[in-house]
Amino acid sequence: MSFFIPVFNGQDYPTWMVKMRTFLMSEGLWHIVVHGYKEPIDDSTLDAAEKKVLDSTRILNAKALSRLQNGVGATIFLRIIRTSQAKEAWDVLNKEFEGDGWTIVIKLQNLRHEFENLPMQDTEMVKEFYNKVIDIVNQMRNLGEKVIDEKVVQKMLIILPERYDVVVVAIEELKDLTALKPEQLVGSLEAHEQRRLRRGEQTQSI
């Protein structure tokens, strides 16, 4: 059976982490990566049923560890070369590239500040600005922050320049902002943009 393993070479760890987690889940291996297992000091004392369970667990661990080993480049592989459990390998990578609890707190503080203060440039299109917003949001979510869609929608509506005032007022009056998806908002704003562009082209041609 062929499958694609996302490879991490030292850049954009949060994206690789999400892809690898999903991949391991699809293989039924995520549980062993998260929780690991306790290797007995002497497995000769186990009965047949316990030995069977242990053998199955060892196989799952070996599969998960193999996926992780093949999911990193040669330089990164050196970090986990001595690990014997998938959980240990995953924890080593997380600690180095995602950071410990304090590092994550600092990263989240910086991302929150960036999110709250991100401006939309006068020459910027809605989709360009939205891509910047959602990139920050995804980084925050990858670090455990719960950023709801309503907050993203509110950010977009508040920061939009005056040229969007008409459509913003219409959306705020006619839409339930608690249920409005960011993608739906962007679609409405892009439709407004296209109308403005067409009107501008028609004016120039007169």
Side-chain angles (χ1 to χ4, degrees):
M1 180 179 66
S2 61
F3 47 77
F4 171 76
I5 299 179
V7 177
F8 174 57
N9 286 303
Q11 299 295 323
D12 196 8
Y13 179 76
T15 298
W16 175 84
M17 180 181 65
V18 172
K19 290 182 177 180
M20 179 56 78
R21 180 178 62 204
T22 303
F23 174 72
L24 291 167
M25 290 173 65
S26 73
E27 295 278 297
L29 301 171
W30 182 237
H31 184 273
I32 194 73
V33 173
V34 173
H35 299 287
Y37 75 102
K38 186 174 182 179
E39 182 68 32
I41 298 175
D42 181 9
D43 60 9
S44 64
T45 61
L46 302 178
D47 60 32
E50 291 172 330
K51 186 65 165 60
K52 185 175 181 181
V53 170
L54 178 60
D55 287 343
S56 297
T57 303
R58 283 171 170 169
I59 291 172
L60 282 177
N61 175 68
K63 286 181 178 179
L65 183 59
S66 174
R67 303 297 191 269
L68 290 173
Q69 290 173 342
N70 286 284
V72 296
T75 303
I76 308 301
F77 174 68
L78 296 176
R79 271 82 158 180
I80 61 173
I81 192 171
R82 296 185 182 278
T83 59
S84 59
Q85 287 203 21
K87 181 183 184 337
E88 183 184 2
W90 184 262
D91 289 345
V92 166
L93 294 173
N94 269 345
K95 185 175 181 180
E96 178 168 353
F97 295 102
E98 188 175 57
D100 55 19
W102 177 244
T103 303
I104 292 173
V105 168
I106 298 300
K107 286 181 179 178
L108 278 173
Q109 286 180 343
N110 291 334
L111 288 168
R112 290 188 196 111
H113 183 268
E114 188 177 354
F115 176 81
E116 295 297 337
N117 295 280
L118 183 67
M120 182 174 178
Q121 306 300 325
D122 289 338
T123 58
E124 205 166 23
M125 304 294 281
V126 168
K127 193 59 176 290
E128 294 173 322
F129 179 66
Y130 173 69
N131 287 340
K132 290 181 182 179
V133 171
I134 206 65
D135 178 61
I136 296 172
V137 168
N138 285 336
Q139 290 183 60
M140 293 168 68
R141 287 171 173 168
N142 288 340
L143 292 174
E145 185 88 340
K146 293 182 179 179
V147 186
I148 61 175
D149 286 343
E150 184 180 357
K151 186 172 183 178
V152 179
V153 168
Q154 290 174 344
K155 167 67 178 179
M156 295 283 294
L157 292 175
I158 290 171
I159 206 67
L160 287 168
E162 289 183 5
R163 64 182 183 271
Y164 295 96
D165 281 355
V166 173
V167 68
V168 168
V169 170
I171 289 172
E172 290 177 336
E173 290 180 350
L174 300 175
K175 300 285 187 180
D176 178 2
L177 299 185
T178 62
L180 183 63
K181 296 294 183 183
E183 297 81 4
Q184 295 173 316
L185 172 62
V186 171
S188 297
L189 294 172
E190 284 187 310
H192 176 71
E193 273 184 347
Q194 293 302 317
R195 286 194 296 271
R196 289 184 68 254
L197 288 172
R198 285 196 299 269
R199 288 170 184 169
E201 290 172 356
Q202 290 171 0
T203 302
Q204 290 175 6
S205 64
I206 296 175

